[in-house]
Amino acid sequence: MGPLSARLLMQRGRPKSDRLGKIRSLDLSGLKLLSEHLDPKLLSRLTQLQELDLSNNQLETLPTNLGLPHLRILRCANNQLGDVSALCQFPQLEELSLEGNPFLTVSDNLKVSFLLPKLRKVNGKDASSTSSQVENLNRELTSRVTAHWEKFMAALSPEEEAEKAQEDFVRSAVRDVRYGPESLSEFTQWRVCPHPTVLGVSSPSFSLAPMHCAALEPRARPVALKRSDDIPLNLSPKKRVCTSPLAPVEGSPVGSDGSQPALKLEPLHFLQCHSKNNSPRDLETQLWACAFEPAWEEGHAGATSQTVATCGGEAVCVIDCQTGIVLHKYKAPGEEFFSVAWTALMVVTQAGHKKRWSVLAAAGLRGLVRLLHVRAGFCCGVIRAHKKAIATLCFSPTHETHLFTASYDKRIILWDIGVPNHDYEFQASQLLTLDTTSIPLRLCPVASCPDAYLLAGCEGGCCCWDVRLDQPQKKRVCEVEFVFPEGPEASRRRVDGLAFVNEDVVASKGNSPGTIYLWSWGQTWLGRGSQSTVAVVVLARLQWSPTELAYFSLSTCPDEGIVLCGDEEGNVWVYDVRHILRQQPPLPAGLQAPTQILKWPQPWALGQTVTKTMVNMVVANPTCTYLTALTDSNIVAIWKRQ
């Protein structure tokens, strides 16, 4: 499709007329239009146009001078728009459709509400709730910018030029004023920084707006916590977030070396966002896995994400840990999700622009891997990976498109999911098949050589495969089985927890009740020789719950030297193992006590007493700023580092 013509506009306009100035409705959908095809001189002749449909084209931007003063309805679904600022030229707009623009973020939804004060519907839904949220955020950001201004002026020297001072203030406000979820930082900076097309003034003006984001369903909202005896059982039927009192954590106050706890954690939020039919009484949905989104776009030392994905039942939720807001919720009726994993893909638009996508893979009972475009909030690919349930999955740390899936069919498959085409569709290909003798439960690429070897904790032990793609065999059996000190019962050979603490030290759990092993990959591999069964070189043993129950998944925070694991009583065991990693062998033979054990407040802030809660998984972000735990009774708990 080339540039638009007056003849085409009259053909597709309503009512039929030989004059562009009489057209009130115009359908330009499905014409493969590019942004440069929208000629402002031609379109500005549509002086009475009230409804414009630009859906199903290839628009990356909208011209800023279209000149449509009476436009009330605009449809721009299924394009490649990356910014919404140009919408400010339509102040009379009442209805707007932007679905299917995968490069628009949750921040853009708030920008739309700010730019278009008369907007009643967005994507077919009532816009009033978002508008009220924008007003709330406006007040909070205005207050923060005002306080920042007062502090800035107090430090200003009299001889500084006003214009330069103003520029310095704007830069410092954009840098330092923060509010709301990390995922909306782009919006707060956009509001703090004066923009001539938005503010219409040359000097700083800060009328700022609220932190809430578009999701696939109504989100949970934080509610003020009452005393436990004041909490009604019939809280809002929507998914709820209850903010707990900032109670001190309990448990072992010191590590085995006498050091003080490295972490001071306080409970921040309890969420019930996976409930069946959004019922607050659902305490049966089991939550299985969570993963923090890597801070792909930060590019700064120490940067870390506060966005976590959780899965359980038929839902996958994406949560902002700071506010407790459920940013997105994806549901697949009839599915039960067991695992989630993040990656980031660099995609190229039709115009040649590079953009980075955060993609979340989710899998479970049906043996399908669903690839979720988190920002746009939709599933953009499904891989029919296995005929039986998928127990766990993980992305390669060095190849962003390589995904391992482990199934109850006793196979691990390495996939290349590829990058999506212009229709946002994936074409996955199978690279390797790894056969196991028992069900694989946890996957862990070897930290020092992730392209060469993969570890898996299985029902029958811990196994290792050569996953180098330059080898001819595409179907491989276990190359090495690792043997641990274990009890007399064969069932205790199960390894249901596995993660690297640093590039050499592995933490594993399951072989012996009440014990988490720290062992050296390098020393163990060095002593392998040609053997197919190798005894691990144990560095230390960590004391854990003596329960006979299985499938409590441990995790690690390598940057901080932390090991985490839940138990059958609702506790979270925290181990600061930095002193162990620094010690020279031989290490103490006895069990190393946990640094601390987190105990959750009872009765629950959700208004119901849970007599027994198992913590299936605990994960911290890289700096251990936030810690997320999942239970078998449909509770997501979030702690924050003090």
Side-chain angles (χ1 to χ4, degrees):
M1 180 69 192
L4 298 174
S5 65
R7 181 179 178 183
L8 177 65
L9 298 188
M10 288 186 287
Q11 286 176 346
R12 299 181 72 104
R14 297 290 185 276
K16 289 295 184 181
S17 174
D18 59 354
R19 294 180 58 185
L20 295 180
K22 292 186 177 182
I23 294 176
R24 293 179 177 273
S25 176
L26 179 60
D27 183 358
L28 297 178
S29 62
L31 297 179
K32 298 184 179 180
L33 293 173
L34 302 177
S35 299
E36 54 266 29
H37 294 157
L38 301 181
D39 182 2
K41 291 184 179 180
L42 177 62
L43 294 175
S44 63
R45 294 166 59 186
L46 300 164
T47 54
Q48 297 302 314
L49 191 68
Q50 296 185 18
E51 183 175 350
L52 176 60
D53 191 345
L54 295 171
S55 302
N56 303 302
N57 285 298
Q58 299 169 12
L59 305 176
E60 294 191 352
T61 60
L62 291 176
T64 58
N65 54 344
L66 289 178
L68 303 173
H70 301 292
L71 193 66
R72 295 187 304 105
I73 300 173
L74 177 61
R75 299 185 180 92
C76 293
N78 301 316
N79 280 281
Q80 299 185 48
L81 296 176
D83 184 62
V84 296
S85 298
L87 294 175
C88 66
Q89 66 185 298
F90 309 126
Q92 304 302 316
L93 208 62
E94 298 177 5
E95 296 185 22
L96 176 65
S97 175
L98 292 171
E99 307 106 318
N101 284 275
F103 300 126
L104 293 182
T105 68
V106 291
S107 293
D108 291 303
N109 293 293
L110 297 182
K111 291 180 184 179
V112 164
S113 184
F114 172 77
L115 294 170
L116 303 171
K118 293 188 178 181
L119 202 61
R120 296 186 296 105
K121 287 187 177 181
V122 178
N123 299 332
K125 298 180 180 179
D126 185 10
S128 59
S129 61
T130 303
S131 297
S132 63
Q133 293 151 15
V134 169
E135 292 174 3
N136 293 337
L137 182 56
N138 181 53
R139 288 192 294 269
E140 179 62 31
L141 282 176
T142 300
S143 173
R144 295 189 181 208
V145 171
T146 300
H148 188 74
W149 169 257
E150 293 173 352
K151 182 178 179 181
F152 179 85
M153 291 300 294
L156 197 65
S157 60
E159 60 273 10
E160 289 191 61
E161 296 181 6
E163 184 175 348
K164 183 179 183 300
Q166 178 176 295
E167 294 174 355
D168 291 344
F169 168 70
V170 171
R171 281 195 294 269
S172 66
V174 170
R175 182 184 64 246
D176 299 332
V177 175
R178 292 288 184 272
Y179 180 64
E182 179 185 5
S183 59
L184 299 181
S185 60
E186 175 194 346
F187 174 75
T188 60
Q189 292 181 21
W190 177 82
R191 288 298 300 118
V192 169
C193 183
H195 192 290
T197 63
V198 176
L199 300 178
V201 293
S202 58
S203 60
S205 174
F206 304 92
S207 52
L208 312 163
M211 290 306 148
H212 199 49
C213 19
L216 299 180
E217 295 187 11
R219 269 68 42 109
R221 299 186 186 180
V223 298
L225 180 71
K226 302 178 183 179
R227 298 190 308 274
S228 59
D229 56 349
D230 292 334
I231 300 174
L233 294 180
N234 57 344
L235 296 177
S236 167
K238 296 181 180 180
K239 293 168 284 298
R240 297 162 297 117
V241 180
C242 294
T243 305
S244 79
L246 302 181
V249 296
E250 302 176 29
S252 305
V254 295
S256 59
D257 65 341
S259 62
Q260 293 299 313
L263 294 177
K264 292 184 178 180
L265 296 160
E266 57 186 15
L268 191 61
H269 303 291
F270 292 107
L271 296 83
Q272 200 176 8
C273 51
H274 290 262
S275 299
K276 295 177 182 177
N277 301 319
N278 296 339
S279 170
R281 298 185 182 277
D282 176 13
L283 296 174
E284 297 180 358
T285 295
Q286 297 194 51
L287 309 184
W288 291 110
C290 56
F292 276 90
E293 179 182 12
W296 303 102
E297 300 178 7
E298 296 290 347
H300 305 296
T304 184
S305 171
Q306 63 187 41
T307 304
V308 68
T310 62
C311 72
E314 59 183 18
V316 175
C317 293
V318 179
I319 303 165
D320 181 87
C321 291
Q322 178 180 336
T323 62
I325 292 174
V326 180
L327 304 175
H328 296 283
K329 182 172 182 179
Y330 175 81
K331 292 181 70 174
E335 180 66 275
E336 183 173 5
F337 287 106
F338 295 149
S339 187
V340 288
W342 290 91
T343 190
L345 304 179
M346 186 66 72
V347 298
V348 181
T349 69
Q350 290 180 336
H353 300 153
K354 291 184 177 180
K355 294 182 180 289
R356 184 171 287 277
W357 278 14
S358 282
V359 175
L360 180 67
L365 185 63
R366 291 189 172 184
L368 305 175
V369 178
R370 302 170 196 270
L371 301 173
L372 309 179
H373 187 326
V374 176
R375 282 190 170 183
F378 64 86
C379 178
C380 51
V382 177
I383 304 173
R384 300 186 180 278
H386 298 269
K387 293 183 178 180
K388 291 189 177 181
I390 296 174
T392 188
L393 45 75
C394 74
F395 279 97
S396 164
T398 54
H399 296 282
E400 61 187 19
T401 64
H402 287 189
L403 174 67
F404 290 98
T405 60
S407 170
Y408 283 78
D409 62 11
K410 300 181 182 179
R411 287 182 177 179
I412 300 169
I413 298 179
L414 173 59
W415 303 86
D416 187 343
I417 66 172
V419 294
N421 59 24
H422 293 307
D423 293 323
Y424 316 112
E425 298 171 337
F426 285 88
Q427 294 293 330
S429 58
Q430 187 171 320
L431 301 178
L432 290 177
T433 299
L434 312 176
D435 288 333
T436 69
T437 57
S438 61
I439 298 171
L441 303 173
R442 310 292 174 213
L443 298 180
C444 189
V446 174
S448 59
C449 47
D451 294 332
Y453 295 103
L454 176 74
L455 286 178
C458 305
E459 286 284 0
C462 183
C463 298
C464 178
W465 288 264
D466 185 333
V467 294
R468 288 174 290 184
L469 295 176
D470 57 359
Q471 307 297 313
Q473 301 86 0
K474 300 305 177 185
K475 186 173 182 179
R476 304 173 188 177
V477 296
C478 170
E479 183 168 336
V480 179
E481 180 180 353
F482 296 107
V483 179
F484 295 81
E486 55 188 3
E489 298 180 16
S491 63
R492 291 178 181 172
R493 297 182 62 230
R494 174 193 300 119
V495 173
D496 57 5
L498 191 67
F500 274 84
V501 184
N502 58 23
E503 284 207 345
D504 178 62
V505 178
V506 187
S508 63
K509 179 186 73 68
N511 290 92
S512 180
T515 304
I516 295 173
Y517 289 104
L518 297 184
W519 53 282
S520 169
W521 158 264
Q523 295 180 47
T524 301
W525 193 253
L526 191 63
R528 174 205 170 193
S530 59
Q531 303 174 72
S532 60
T533 301
V534 181
V536 300
V537 177
V538 176
L539 302 178
R541 295 186 301 149
L542 309 180
Q543 179 186 2
W544 183 66
S545 168
T547 179
E548 296 286 343
L549 297 175
Y551 311 124
F552 299 97
S553 179
L554 67 80
S555 65
T556 62
C557 189
D559 292 347
E560 299 285 324
I562 300 294
V563 178
L564 304 161
C565 194
D567 71 8
E568 79 287 1
E569 298 293 340
N571 302 319
V572 175
W573 299 60
V574 182
Y575 307 85
D576 184 341
V577 298
R578 288 175 294 181
H579 65 285
I580 297 176
L581 302 178
R582 288 193 297 263
Q583 282 183 268
Q584 297 296 320
L587 297 176
L591 289 173
Q592 310 289 304
T595 307
Q596 59 190 141
I597 300 176
L598 306 181
K599 295 181 180 294
W600 297 2
Q602 296 283 350
W604 287 97
L606 291 168
Q608 303 186 44
T609 301
V610 180
T611 57
K612 186 175 183 180
T613 293
M614 294 190 289
V615 177
N616 292 332
M617 189 174 196
V618 186
V619 171
N621 64 357
T623 58
C624 276
T625 305
Y626 294 99
L627 182 153
T628 301
L630 306 180
T631 75
D632 68 334
S633 56
N634 191 28
I635 308 297
V636 178
I638 298 173
W639 277 271
K640 184 177 182 180
R641 193 173 189 169
Q642 291 180 323

